[in-house]
Amino acid sequence: MNYRRDIDGLRAVAVLPVVLFHFGVSAIPGGFTGVDIFFVISGYLISGSLLDDLERGQFSIGRFYWRRARRILPALTFVILLAQHCRLVHPSAFGSPRIQP
């Protein structure tokens, strides 16, 4: 499946109410709806990619998960490191005492 800017834009629009919900903006309800829409669009894109691989006879479950990991793990690593940094710098915000070295 070729890159589709329109669908990528829809995913960005679906994420917006979720982000606003987490920042406490109540003028735009639908944080949960945004999550649902994001997952539906992501499922559509992943299914299209799988079907393309199957049609070409190139499907591999290992390669499928490798592509998912390559896409998700950098962001996951960044979020974990950022959370740990914030916890060490501002421990009271997390409800735990500062860890002494």
Side-chain angles (χ1 to χ4, degrees):
M1 174 178 278
N2 294 331
Y3 176 71
R4 303 255 326 251
R5 289 176 51 132
D6 55 340
I7 292 178
D8 217 18
L10 284 175
R11 287 200 312 178
V13 169
V15 167
L16 185 61
V18 177
V19 172
L20 292 175
F21 174 80
H22 284 291
F23 279 107
V25 177
S26 61
I28 301 177
F32 300 110
T33 304
V35 171
D36 293 342
I37 292 170
F38 180 84
F39 281 139
V40 168
I41 294 170
S42 295
Y44 170 77
L45 292 172
I46 290 171
S47 297
S49 175
L50 286 173
L51 290 173
D52 286 347
D53 286 351
L54 286 170
E55 286 176 1
R56 288 192 308 260
Q58 296 178 342
F59 175 74
S60 161
I61 193 75
R63 194 166 63 114
F64 170 76
Y65 280 112
W66 172 248
R67 289 191 322 218
R68 299 288 77 71
R70 231 179 41 211
R71 180 175 172 91
I72 293 170
L73 288 178
L76 175 63
T77 303
F78 174 76
V79 169
I80 289 172
L81 292 174
L82 180 64
Q84 289 302 314
H85 171 76
C86 290
R87 184 179 173 278
L88 291 172
V89 173
H90 304 288
S92 61
F94 293 87
S96 60
R98 183 172 176 85
I99 298 172
Q100 298 298 323

